Amino acid sequence: MIDEILQYNQAFVENKGYEKYITSKYPNKKVAIVTCMDTRLTELLPAALGLKNGDAKIIKNAGGIISHPFGSAMRSLLIGIYELDVKEILVIGHTDCGAMYTDSKKMIEKMKAQGITEQSIDMIKYYGINFDAWLSGFMDLDVSVNKTVDMIKKHPLVPEEIKVYGLIIDSVTGELTKIA
Ligand SMILES: [Zn+2]
């Protein structure tokens, strides 16, 4: 796969394929989006929201959640707000999310099947990481989106003027439903 990508890339640059994407580092619409890494959303989400290159800061992870108030997703939002002029934040969950129903116990079994030792897992637990909570999915999409919206709204470093909304996007049609 990497060879294919590098070969394509060479032609892309030579043919100036980048020209139509040129923009600045500041989001034109002053928006940051927290959403899922799901591959169905790669092009669908910006297309369905009418977003072009340069319009929004898009922060993606499994489930589109902020799992820790001082983790990397929250850090990205704070950089968006204080360095890149973000004024609005959209948390967008999606239907049929693969991060729902994730079972941490099953994932640990898969890790062991791929050679991760019991000692490694014990060591992580020893350092106070709540493995189950960290790896577990969410049972209810609305609850998950609301939880992340709340975490941002109540975050001690997020200024009051920042507007935060929660939405769900249909993974097939791209239809948005505002829930918070
Ligand atoms: Zn997902």
Side-chain angles (χ1 to χ4, degrees):
M1 192 61 215
I2 183 67
D3 292 333
E4 198 183 304
I5 286 173
L6 288 173
Q7 199 180 353
Y8 180 89
N9 178 257
Q10 206 174 2
F12 176 85
V13 176
E14 273 168 18
N15 299 328
K16 294 190 178 9
Y18 54 84
E19 276 183 337
K20 63 174 175 169
Y21 299 109
I22 291 173
T23 179
S24 84
K25 66 179 173 181
Y26 296 97
N28 296 326
K29 294 192 190 287
K30 300 185 190 296
V31 169
I33 295 170
V34 180
T35 192
C36 185
M37 66 184 190
D38 194 290
T39 42
R40 287 167 293 185
L41 303 182
T42 306
E43 289 190 44
L44 177 68
L45 185 137
L49 274 64
L51 298 175
K52 297 202 165 43
N53 208 42
D55 279 350
K57 296 287 163 196
I58 304 183
I59 299 143
K60 292 188 164 194
N61 61 31
I65 56 169
I66 294 180
S67 54
H68 194 284
F70 296 97
S72 65
M74 199 60 229
R75 176 176 177 272
S76 300
L77 282 179
L78 292 173
I79 290 172
I81 293 167
Y82 290 106
E83 300 293 332
L84 301 163
D85 208 18
V86 163
K87 300 288 182 212
E88 268 179 86
I89 297 168
L90 312 183
V91 177
I92 307 183
H94 71 107
T95 57
D96 188 35
C97 182
M100 282 176 84
Y101 314 116
T102 305
D103 184 332
S104 60
K105 286 185 179 57
K106 280 185 188 154
M107 210 190 296
I108 291 168
E109 287 314 309
K110 287 178 188 170
M111 287 172 181
K112 287 177 183 166
Q114 293 202 39
I116 307 302
T117 62
E118 191 79 51
Q119 288 96 307
S120 295
I121 290 163
D122 285 347
M123 189 186 68
I124 290 163
K125 287 181 179 167
Y126 176 78
Y127 283 110
I129 305 289
N130 185 343
F131 224 39
D132 285 337
W134 185 53
L135 292 176
S136 281
F138 43 85
M139 302 307 270
D140 185 311
L141 189 57
D142 287 35
V143 170
S144 164
V145 169
N146 275 309
K147 217 169 123 186
T148 289
V149 166
D150 275 359
M151 172 131 24
I152 301 166
K153 277 188 177 169
K154 291 176 183 158
H155 197 283
L157 302 177
V158 172
E160 207 134 303
E161 61 167 57
I162 302 297
K163 294 189 173 79
V164 189
Y165 304 101
L167 303 104
I168 289 169
I169 189 168
D170 185 302
S171 300
V172 176
T173 67
E175 184 183 12
L176 279 177
T177 309
K178 189 170 165 291
I179 61 159

